[in-house]
Amino acid sequence: MPPTPSMEDYIERIYLLIQDKGYARVSDIAEALEVHPSSVTKMVQKLDKDNYLIYEKYRGFILSSKGEKLGKRLVDRHELLEGFLKVIGVSQENIYEDVEGIEHHLSWDAIDRIGDLVQFFQDDPSRVEQLRDIQQQNEDI
Ligand SMILES: [Mn+2]
Protein backbone atom coordinates (compact mmCIF):
# COMPACT_ATOMS: atom_id res chain seq x y z
CA MET A 1 0.00 0.00 0.00
CA PRO A 2 1.45 3.38 -0.97
CA PRO A 3 1.70 5.91 1.85
CA THR A 4 -1.26 8.26 2.25
CA PRO A 5 -0.76 12.06 1.97
CA SER A 6 -0.81 12.28 5.76
CA MET A 7 1.83 9.55 6.10
CA GLU A 8 3.93 11.42 3.56
CA ASP A 9 3.67 14.63 5.58
CA TYR A 10 4.86 12.81 8.69
CA ILE A 11 7.73 11.00 6.97
CA GLU A 12 8.85 14.23 5.27
CA ARG A 13 8.79 16.10 8.58
CA ILE A 14 10.49 13.30 10.52
CA TYR A 15 13.23 13.16 7.87
CA LEU A 16 13.86 16.90 8.30
CA LEU A 17 13.86 16.66 12.12
CA ILE A 18 16.36 13.80 12.03
CA GLN A 19 18.58 15.75 9.63
CA ASP A 20 18.42 18.64 12.04
CA LYS A 21 18.75 16.90 15.41
CA GLY A 22 19.55 13.25 14.78
CA TYR A 23 16.20 12.01 16.08
CA ALA A 24 12.53 12.92 16.15
CA ARG A 25 10.28 12.96 19.20
CA VAL A 26 6.50 12.93 19.35
CA SER A 27 6.49 16.45 20.81
CA ASP A 28 8.75 17.80 18.03
CA ILE A 29 6.58 16.26 15.33
CA ALA A 30 3.39 17.55 16.96
CA GLU A 31 4.82 21.06 17.10
CA ALA A 32 6.15 21.01 13.54
CA LEU A 33 2.91 19.69 12.03
CA GLU A 34 0.66 21.65 14.40
CA VAL A 35 -1.25 18.55 15.48
CA HIS A 36 -2.10 17.01 18.84
CA PRO A 37 0.54 14.66 20.29
CA SER A 38 -2.06 11.87 20.47
CA SER A 39 -2.45 12.07 16.67
CA VAL A 40 1.32 11.81 16.33
CA THR A 41 1.42 8.76 18.58
CA LYS A 42 -1.23 7.08 16.47
CA MET A 43 0.56 7.83 13.21
CA VAL A 44 3.93 6.80 14.62
CA GLN A 45 2.45 3.41 15.52
CA LYS A 46 1.15 3.05 11.97
CA LEU A 47 4.49 4.06 10.44
CA ASP A 48 6.26 1.66 12.79
CA LYS A 49 3.90 -1.14 11.74
CA ASP A 50 4.60 -0.36 8.06
CA ASN A 51 8.36 -0.44 8.71
CA TYR A 52 9.10 3.21 8.03
CA LEU A 53 10.26 3.91 11.58
CA ILE A 54 12.32 2.37 14.30
CA TYR A 55 11.43 3.24 17.86
CA GLU A 56 14.48 3.95 20.00
CA LYS A 57 13.82 3.71 23.69
CA TYR A 58 14.35 7.02 25.56
CA ARG A 59 15.50 8.87 22.43
CA GLY A 60 12.60 9.01 20.03
CA PHE A 61 12.41 7.62 16.54
CA ILE A 62 14.69 7.13 13.65
CA LEU A 63 13.69 6.20 10.13
CA SER A 64 14.30 2.71 8.80
CA SER A 65 16.20 2.55 5.52
CA LYS A 66 12.83 2.31 3.75
CA GLY A 67 11.62 5.38 5.64
CA GLU A 68 14.79 7.30 5.02
CA LYS A 69 14.73 6.58 1.31
CA LEU A 70 11.14 7.76 1.06
CA GLY A 71 11.82 10.75 3.32
CA LYS A 72 14.65 11.94 1.08
CA ARG A 73 12.46 11.52 -1.98
CA LEU A 74 9.65 13.52 -0.38
CA VAL A 75 11.97 16.33 0.70
CA ASP A 76 13.54 16.42 -2.78
CA ARG A 77 10.06 16.53 -4.31
CA HIS A 78 9.09 19.43 -2.06
CA GLU A 79 12.23 21.34 -3.03
CA LEU A 80 11.76 20.59 -6.73
CA LEU A 81 8.19 21.91 -6.64
CA GLU A 82 9.32 25.06 -4.82
CA GLY A 83 11.96 25.57 -7.53
CA PHE A 84 9.36 24.99 -10.21
CA LEU A 85 6.87 27.51 -8.83
CA LYS A 86 9.70 29.98 -8.35
CA VAL A 87 10.99 29.66 -11.90
CA ILE A 88 7.52 30.07 -13.40
CA GLY A 89 7.19 33.29 -11.44
CA VAL A 90 4.84 32.45 -8.56
CA SER A 91 5.13 34.99 -5.72
CA GLN A 92 7.41 33.87 -2.88
CA GLU A 93 4.59 34.37 -0.36
CA ASN A 94 2.46 31.70 -2.08
CA ILE A 95 5.11 29.10 -2.78
CA TYR A 96 5.21 27.11 0.45
CA GLU A 97 1.43 26.76 0.82
CA ASP A 98 1.01 25.93 -2.87
CA VAL A 99 3.62 23.18 -2.66
CA GLU A 100 1.95 21.76 0.46
CA GLY A 101 -1.29 21.77 -1.51
CA ILE A 102 -0.07 19.93 -4.60
CA GLU A 103 2.87 17.75 -3.56
CA HIS A 104 0.84 14.68 -2.60
CA HIS A 105 -1.37 14.79 -5.67
CA LEU A 106 1.03 14.45 -8.58
CA SER A 107 2.33 11.20 -10.01
CA TRP A 108 6.07 10.58 -9.88
CA ASP A 109 5.91 10.77 -13.68
CA ALA A 110 4.59 14.33 -13.43
CA ILE A 111 7.25 15.18 -10.83
CA ASP A 112 10.00 13.92 -13.13
CA ARG A 113 8.62 15.87 -16.09
CA ILE A 114 8.47 19.03 -13.97
CA GLY A 115 12.08 18.29 -13.09
CA ASP A 116 12.90 18.28 -16.81
CA LEU A 117 11.17 21.63 -17.21
CA VAL A 118 13.07 23.18 -14.28
CA GLN A 119 16.28 21.93 -15.89
CA PHE A 120 15.19 23.42 -19.23
CA PHE A 121 15.05 26.83 -17.55
CA GLN A 122 18.23 26.32 -15.53
CA ASP A 123 20.23 25.28 -18.60
CA ASP A 124 19.64 28.62 -20.29
CA PRO A 125 18.59 31.64 -18.20
CA SER A 126 17.44 33.45 -21.37
CA ARG A 127 14.49 31.03 -21.35
CA VAL A 128 13.44 32.44 -17.98
CA GLU A 129 13.72 35.94 -19.43
CA GLN A 130 11.50 34.93 -22.36
CA LEU A 131 8.91 33.64 -19.92
CA ARG A 132 9.12 36.86 -17.91
CA ASP A 133 8.54 38.83 -21.14
CA ILE A 134 5.35 36.86 -21.82
CA GLN A 135 4.24 37.37 -18.22
CA GLN A 136 4.89 41.07 -18.53
CA GLN A 137 2.80 41.21 -21.72
CA ASN A 138 -0.04 39.34 -20.04
CA GLU A 139 0.04 41.76 -17.13
CA ASP A 140 -0.17 44.69 -19.50
CA ILE A 141 -3.37 43.47 -21.15
MN1 LIG B 1 6.06 19.42 2.07
Short mmCIF file of all heavy atoms in Angstrom, two decimals, residues 21-58:
data_model
loop_
_atom_site.label_atom_id
_atom_site.label_comp_id
_atom_site.label_asym_id
_atom_site.label_seq_id
_atom_site.Cartn_x
_atom_site.Cartn_y
_atom_site.Cartn_z
N LYS A 21 18.41 17.21 14.02
CA LYS A 21 18.75 16.90 15.41
C LYS A 21 19.23 15.47 15.64
O LYS A 21 19.63 15.14 16.74
CB LYS A 21 17.53 17.11 16.32
CG LYS A 21 16.80 18.41 16.05
CD LYS A 21 15.97 18.91 17.19
CE LYS A 21 15.17 17.87 17.95
NZ LYS A 21 14.36 18.48 19.02
N GLY A 22 19.11 14.63 14.62
CA GLY A 22 19.55 13.25 14.78
C GLY A 22 18.45 12.30 15.21
O GLY A 22 18.62 11.09 15.14
N TYR A 23 17.33 12.84 15.67
CA TYR A 23 16.20 12.01 16.08
C TYR A 23 14.94 12.85 16.00
O TYR A 23 15.01 14.07 15.82
CB TYR A 23 16.39 11.48 17.50
CG TYR A 23 16.54 12.58 18.51
CD1 TYR A 23 15.42 13.14 19.13
CD2 TYR A 23 17.79 13.12 18.82
CE1 TYR A 23 15.56 14.18 20.02
CE2 TYR A 23 17.93 14.16 19.70
CZ TYR A 23 16.80 14.68 20.31
OH TYR A 23 16.94 15.73 21.19
N ALA A 24 13.80 12.20 16.13
CA ALA A 24 12.53 12.92 16.15
C ALA A 24 11.73 12.42 17.35
O ALA A 24 11.69 11.23 17.62
CB ALA A 24 11.76 12.66 14.85
N ARG A 25 11.14 13.34 18.07
CA ARG A 25 10.28 12.96 19.20
C ARG A 25 8.84 13.32 18.88
O ARG A 25 8.58 14.23 18.07
CB ARG A 25 10.71 13.70 20.48
CG ARG A 25 12.08 13.32 20.98
CD ARG A 25 12.42 14.12 22.20
NE ARG A 25 12.20 15.56 21.94
CZ ARG A 25 12.64 16.53 22.73
NH1 ARG A 25 13.29 16.24 23.84
NH2 ARG A 25 12.41 17.79 22.43
N VAL A 26 7.92 12.66 19.57
CA VAL A 26 6.50 12.93 19.35
C VAL A 26 6.21 14.42 19.51
O VAL A 26 5.52 15.04 18.69
CB VAL A 26 5.62 12.09 20.32
CG1 VAL A 26 4.18 12.58 20.33
CG2 VAL A 26 5.67 10.61 19.92
N SER A 27 6.79 15.03 20.56
CA SER A 27 6.49 16.45 20.81
C SER A 27 7.02 17.34 19.69
O SER A 27 6.38 18.32 19.31
CB SER A 27 7.09 16.87 22.15
OG SER A 27 8.47 16.58 22.19
N ASP A 28 8.20 17.00 19.13
CA ASP A 28 8.75 17.80 18.03
C ASP A 28 7.86 17.71 16.78
O ASP A 28 7.63 18.69 16.09
CB ASP A 28 10.15 17.30 17.63
CG ASP A 28 11.14 17.38 18.78
OD1 ASP A 28 11.06 18.35 19.55
OD2 ASP A 28 11.99 16.48 18.89
N ILE A 29 7.42 16.48 16.52
CA ILE A 29 6.58 16.26 15.33
C ILE A 29 5.25 17.00 15.50
O ILE A 29 4.77 17.66 14.58
CB ILE A 29 6.33 14.75 15.10
CG1 ILE A 29 7.67 14.01 14.92
CG2 ILE A 29 5.46 14.53 13.88
CD1 ILE A 29 7.54 12.49 15.04
N ALA A 30 4.67 16.90 16.70
CA ALA A 30 3.39 17.55 16.96
C ALA A 30 3.51 19.06 16.75
O ALA A 30 2.65 19.69 16.12
CB ALA A 30 2.92 17.24 18.38
N GLU A 31 4.61 19.62 17.24
CA GLU A 31 4.82 21.06 17.10
C GLU A 31 4.99 21.44 15.64
O GLU A 31 4.39 22.39 15.15
CB GLU A 31 6.05 21.46 17.92
CG GLU A 31 6.10 22.94 18.23
CD GLU A 31 7.41 23.30 18.94
OE1 GLU A 31 7.83 22.52 19.82
OE2 GLU A 31 7.99 24.33 18.59
N ALA A 32 5.84 20.67 14.93
CA ALA A 32 6.15 21.01 13.54
C ALA A 32 4.92 20.89 12.64
O ALA A 32 4.73 21.69 11.74
CB ALA A 32 7.26 20.10 13.03
N LEU A 33 4.08 19.90 12.90
CA LEU A 33 2.91 19.69 12.03
C LEU A 33 1.66 20.35 12.59
O LEU A 33 0.59 20.26 11.97
CB LEU A 33 2.67 18.19 11.82
CG LEU A 33 3.71 17.43 10.99
CD1 LEU A 33 3.39 15.93 10.99
CD2 LEU A 33 3.74 17.94 9.56
N GLU A 34 1.79 20.98 13.76
CA GLU A 34 0.66 21.65 14.40
C GLU A 34 -0.51 20.69 14.59
O GLU A 34 -1.65 20.98 14.20
CB GLU A 34 0.24 22.89 13.61
CG GLU A 34 1.35 23.94 13.58
CD GLU A 34 1.00 25.17 12.74
OE1 GLU A 34 0.01 25.12 11.97
OE2 GLU A 34 1.72 26.17 12.84
N VAL A 35 -0.20 19.53 15.16
CA VAL A 35 -1.25 18.55 15.48
C VAL A 35 -1.10 18.12 16.94
O VAL A 35 -0.08 18.38 17.58
CB VAL A 35 -1.18 17.31 14.56
CG1 VAL A 35 -1.50 17.67 13.12
CG2 VAL A 35 0.19 16.63 14.64
N HIS A 36 -2.12 17.47 17.45
CA HIS A 36 -2.10 17.01 18.84
C HIS A 36 -1.15 15.82 18.99
O HIS A 36 -1.12 14.95 18.12
CB HIS A 36 -3.53 16.62 19.25
CG HIS A 36 -3.71 16.57 20.73
ND1 HIS A 36 -3.48 15.43 21.45
CD2 HIS A 36 -4.05 17.54 21.61
CE1 HIS A 36 -3.71 15.69 22.74
NE2 HIS A 36 -4.05 16.96 22.86
N PRO A 37 -0.39 15.79 20.10
CA PRO A 37 0.54 14.66 20.29
C PRO A 37 -0.12 13.28 20.18
O PRO A 37 0.51 12.33 19.73
CB PRO A 37 1.09 14.90 21.71
CG PRO A 37 0.98 16.37 21.91
CD PRO A 37 -0.24 16.80 21.15
N SER A 38 -1.41 13.18 20.57
CA SER A 38 -2.06 11.87 20.47
C SER A 38 -2.22 11.43 19.01
O SER A 38 -2.17 10.23 18.71
CB SER A 38 -3.42 11.89 21.18
OG SER A 38 -4.29 12.77 20.52
N SER A 39 -2.39 12.41 18.10
CA SER A 39 -2.45 12.07 16.67
C SER A 39 -1.09 11.57 16.20
O SER A 39 -1.00 10.66 15.37
CB SER A 39 -2.83 13.29 15.82
OG SER A 39 -3.92 13.95 16.35
N VAL A 40 -0.03 12.21 16.72
CA VAL A 40 1.32 11.81 16.33
C VAL A 40 1.58 10.38 16.80
O VAL A 40 2.09 9.54 16.03
CB VAL A 40 2.39 12.76 16.91
CG1 VAL A 40 3.79 12.27 16.56
CG2 VAL A 40 2.17 14.18 16.41
N THR A 41 1.20 10.10 18.04
CA THR A 41 1.42 8.76 18.58
C THR A 41 0.73 7.70 17.72
O THR A 41 1.32 6.67 17.40
CB THR A 41 0.90 8.68 20.03
OG1 THR A 41 1.57 9.67 20.79
CG2 THR A 41 1.16 7.32 20.64
N LYS A 42 -0.48 8.01 17.31
CA LYS A 42 -1.23 7.08 16.47
C LYS A 42 -0.52 6.84 15.14
O LYS A 42 -0.35 5.70 14.69
CB LYS A 42 -2.63 7.65 16.21
CG LYS A 42 -3.76 6.69 16.57
CD LYS A 42 -5.09 7.24 16.11
CE LYS A 42 -5.94 7.69 17.29
NZ LYS A 42 -7.12 8.46 16.88
N MET A 43 -0.09 7.94 14.51
CA MET A 43 0.56 7.83 13.21
C MET A 43 1.92 7.13 13.34
O MET A 43 2.29 6.32 12.48
CB MET A 43 0.73 9.21 12.59
CG MET A 43 1.44 9.21 11.26
SD MET A 43 0.63 8.20 9.99
CE MET A 43 -0.46 9.42 9.25
N VAL A 44 2.62 7.43 14.41
CA VAL A 44 3.93 6.80 14.62
C VAL A 44 3.77 5.27 14.73
O VAL A 44 4.57 4.51 14.20
CB VAL A 44 4.61 7.42 15.86
CG1 VAL A 44 5.64 6.49 16.47
CG2 VAL A 44 5.25 8.77 15.49
N GLN A 45 2.71 4.86 15.41
CA GLN A 45 2.45 3.41 15.52
C GLN A 45 2.19 2.80 14.15
O GLN A 45 2.66 1.69 13.85
CB GLN A 45 1.26 3.16 16.46
CG GLN A 45 1.64 3.35 17.92
CD GLN A 45 0.45 3.45 18.84
OE1 GLN A 45 -0.71 3.48 18.39
NE2 GLN A 45 0.70 3.53 20.13
N LYS A 46 1.45 3.53 13.33
CA LYS A 46 1.15 3.05 11.97
C LYS A 46 2.43 2.98 11.14
O LYS A 46 2.68 2.00 10.42
CB LYS A 46 0.11 3.98 11.33
CG LYS A 46 0.02 3.92 9.83
CD LYS A 46 -1.25 3.20 9.41
CE LYS A 46 -1.38 3.05 7.88
NZ LYS A 46 -1.05 1.71 7.42
N LEU A 47 3.25 4.03 11.23
CA LEU A 47 4.49 4.06 10.44
C LEU A 47 5.47 2.99 10.92
O LEU A 47 6.23 2.42 10.12
CB LEU A 47 5.14 5.45 10.53
CG LEU A 47 4.36 6.58 9.85
CD1 LEU A 47 5.03 7.93 10.13
CD2 LEU A 47 4.23 6.36 8.36
N ASP A 48 5.43 2.72 12.22
CA ASP A 48 6.26 1.66 12.79
C ASP A 48 5.80 0.30 12.25
O ASP A 48 6.60 -0.52 11.81
CB ASP A 48 6.18 1.72 14.31
CG ASP A 48 7.07 0.69 15.00
OD1 ASP A 48 8.27 0.68 14.70
OD2 ASP A 48 6.55 -0.10 15.79
N LYS A 49 4.50 0.11 12.24
CA LYS A 49 3.90 -1.14 11.74
C LYS A 49 4.26 -1.35 10.26
O LYS A 49 4.51 -2.47 9.82
CB LYS A 49 2.39 -1.09 11.93
CG LYS A 49 1.70 -2.42 11.82
CD LYS A 49 0.24 -2.29 12.18
CE LYS A 49 -0.65 -2.47 11.04
NZ LYS A 49 -1.36 -1.86 10.18
N ASP A 50 4.28 -0.28 9.50
CA ASP A 50 4.60 -0.36 8.06
C ASP A 50 6.11 -0.29 7.78
O ASP A 50 6.52 -0.10 6.64
CB ASP A 50 3.89 0.76 7.29
CG ASP A 50 2.38 0.55 7.21
OD1 ASP A 50 1.89 -0.47 7.71
OD2 ASP A 50 1.69 1.42 6.64
N ASN A 51 6.88 -0.37 8.84
CA ASN A 51 8.36 -0.44 8.71
C ASN A 51 9.03 0.81 8.16
O ASN A 51 10.07 0.73 7.52
CB ASN A 51 8.78 -1.65 7.85
CG ASN A 51 8.31 -2.95 8.46
OD1 ASN A 51 8.47 -3.17 9.66
ND2 ASN A 51 7.71 -3.81 7.65
N TYR A 52 8.43 1.96 8.41
CA TYR A 52 9.10 3.21 8.03
C TYR A 52 9.96 3.74 9.17
O TYR A 52 10.87 4.53 8.95
CB TYR A 52 8.08 4.29 7.66
CG TYR A 52 7.35 4.02 6.36
CD1 TYR A 52 6.02 3.62 6.36
CD2 TYR A 52 7.99 4.18 5.14
CE1 TYR A 52 5.34 3.37 5.18
CE2 TYR A 52 7.32 3.94 3.95
CZ TYR A 52 6.00 3.54 3.97
OH TYR A 52 5.34 3.29 2.80
N LEU A 53 9.63 3.34 10.39
CA LEU A 53 10.26 3.91 11.58
C LEU A 53 10.86 2.83 12.46
O LEU A 53 10.41 1.69 12.45
CB LEU A 53 9.18 4.56 12.46
CG LEU A 53 8.56 5.87 12.10
CD1 LEU A 53 7.56 6.21 13.19
CD2 LEU A 53 9.61 6.95 12.01
N ILE A 54 11.82 3.23 13.24
CA ILE A 54 12.32 2.37 14.30
C ILE A 54 12.23 3.16 15.61
O ILE A 54 12.73 4.29 15.69
CB ILE A 54 13.78 1.93 14.03
CG1 ILE A 54 13.85 1.15 12.71
CG2 ILE A 54 14.32 1.12 15.20
CD1 ILE A 54 15.23 1.06 12.12
N TYR A 55 11.58 2.58 16.57
CA TYR A 55 11.43 3.24 17.86
C TYR A 55 12.68 2.99 18.69
O TYR A 55 13.11 1.86 18.88
CB TYR A 55 10.20 2.68 18.58
CG TYR A 55 10.00 3.27 19.94
CD1 TYR A 55 9.85 4.64 20.10
CD2 TYR A 55 9.97 2.47 21.07
CE1 TYR A 55 9.68 5.19 21.35
CE2 TYR A 55 9.79 3.01 22.32
CZ TYR A 55 9.65 4.39 22.45
OH TYR A 55 9.49 4.93 23.69
N GLU A 56 13.29 4.06 19.15
CA GLU A 56 14.48 3.95 20.00
C GLU A 56 14.10 4.37 21.41
O GLU A 56 13.75 5.52 21.65
CB GLU A 56 15.58 4.88 19.47
CG GLU A 56 15.98 4.63 18.04
CD GLU A 56 17.45 4.33 17.92
OE1 GLU A 56 18.25 5.19 18.33
OE2 GLU A 56 17.79 3.25 17.44
N LYS A 57 14.21 3.44 22.32
CA LYS A 57 13.82 3.71 23.69
C LYS A 57 14.56 4.94 24.23
O LYS A 57 15.78 5.07 24.01
CB LYS A 57 14.16 2.49 24.55
CG LYS A 57 13.08 2.16 25.56
CD LYS A 57 13.41 0.85 26.27
CE LYS A 57 12.43 0.59 27.39
NZ LYS A 57 12.77 -0.61 28.13
N TYR A 58 13.83 5.81 24.90
CA TYR A 58 14.35 7.02 25.56
C TYR A 58 14.77 8.13 24.59
O TYR A 58 14.99 9.25 24.99
CB TYR A 58 15.54 6.72 26.49
CG TYR A 58 15.27 5.63 27.47
CD1 TYR A 58 16.05 4.49 27.50
CD2 TYR A 58 14.20 5.75 28.35
CE1 TYR A 58 15.78 3.46 28.40
CE2 TYR A 58 13.92 4.73 29.25
CZ TYR A 58 14.71 3.60 29.28
OH TYR A 58 14.43 2.60 30.16
#
